[in-house]
Amino acid sequence: MICQKTSLFKWKPDLEGAIEEYSKAATCFRTCKAYDLAKNAYIKTAELQAITNSKYYAGKNYEQVALLCKETKHFEQAAELMEKSASMFVEHGTPDSARLVLEKGGKMVEKELPLKAVHLYKKASAIADNEDRPNNAAENIGKCARILINERKLDQAMECLKKEIAFHERSQSYPMIGKSVTGIILVYLHNDDFAAAYAFYEKSFK
């Protein structure tokens, strides 16, 4: 693109101009349903925005590419781009936006790529924890636990349920603790570990 070129009388590329042109191209390609071209244009826009320190807008454009990937059923790439979007929001200093895009990404790929969804939800939970939002942290780690139970990864599910309990304790959401405790007991029972199930019950409800 001519905006990115330099010459004898133009020492610096016009990155802002290039961003504007790539953005226009992305919109046109998307309208025409030329999705691969639209994705490339959005990615170019985001890369240039990251260079010019417009990290928030870079994050929004990576999110747009991810949505296009969802439309074309490229779920692995969609998840990676939602994670990239979140990292831009974190660098910009808007962790809530990062958490929300990770949650959206997890929901986007949960059916097709459940373990990738777990990865995204865990990152969302960690961000919520860092921002002292235990309810959000609990909600996301709880989603991980339920997916892992469905995937028969019970040891990992139990770890998530224990973290969920800790978050609920921090926020004093005592009714929710009971649900997580019940989940752990059921996992123990599924593993035929009746002694551990009873011990955990005694510890939790005494």
Side-chain angles (χ1 to χ4, degrees):
M1 182 169 285
I2 194 168
C3 296
Q4 293 179 268
K5 294 181 179 179
T6 58
S7 67
L8 180 62
F9 300 105
K10 181 184 172 186
W11 294 356
K12 291 184 178 180
D14 179 11
L15 296 183
E16 294 297 336
I19 288 169
E20 184 177 352
E21 293 303 319
Y22 276 122
S23 182
K24 288 178 182 177
T27 302
C28 289
F29 288 138
R30 186 169 191 169
T31 302
C32 297
K33 297 186 178 181
Y35 292 132
D36 286 340
L37 293 173
K39 284 191 282 187
N40 289 336
Y42 276 124
I43 288 172
K44 279 289 187 182
T45 304
E47 289 172 347
L48 291 174
Q49 286 169 328
I51 291 171
T52 58
N53 211 31
S54 299
K55 299 292 177 68
Y56 179 83
Y57 294 106
K60 296 301 288 184
N61 276 300
Y62 280 124
E63 184 180 354
Q64 287 300 312
V65 188
L67 293 172
L68 282 176
C69 290
K70 179 191 174 186
E71 289 183 37
T72 56
K73 301 189 183 305
H74 293 101
F75 293 104
E76 185 76 38
Q77 189 181 11
E80 290 172 1
L81 287 162
M82 290 301 253
E83 194 169 355
K84 182 74 172 177
S85 172
S87 71
M88 290 290 104
F89 290 136
V90 168
E91 289 183 38
H92 177 258
T94 48
D96 277 350
S97 296
R99 175 179 58 81
L100 289 170
V101 84
L102 287 166
E103 290 172 356
K104 190 184 295 185
K107 186 175 181 180
M108 183 187 294
V109 302
E110 190 171 318
K111 184 178 178 181
E112 288 77 14
L113 300 169
L115 297 183
K116 192 67 177 181
V118 167
H119 173 72
L120 295 174
Y121 285 137
K122 279 185 176 180
K123 294 197 77 168
S125 181
I127 289 173
D129 185 23
N130 288 338
E131 293 300 304
D132 196 24
R133 293 178 176 270
N135 285 328
N136 291 132
E139 181 183 357
N140 282 295
I141 206 69
K143 290 175 185 176
C144 294
R146 282 173 272 288
I147 293 170
L148 289 165
I149 287 170
N150 288 336
E151 294 296 306
R152 298 292 186 266
K153 295 186 178 295
L154 300 182
D155 290 342
Q156 293 179 45
M158 193 177 298
E159 289 178 15
C160 290
L161 287 167
K162 288 178 179 178
K163 287 181 180 179
E164 187 179 18
I165 289 171
F167 289 134
H168 285 317
E169 286 175 342
R170 273 175 52 192
S171 63
Q172 298 182 340
S173 302
Y174 299 116
M176 300 302 294
I177 291 174
K179 291 183 179 181
S180 303
V181 168
T182 302
I184 290 175
I185 291 170
L186 290 173
V187 170
Y188 278 129
L189 292 175
H190 184 275
N191 288 336
D192 294 330
D193 194 343
F194 302 106
Y198 183 75
F200 193 79
Y201 171 83
E202 286 280 286
K203 176 184 175 183
S204 301
F205 292 106
K206 67 180 179 180

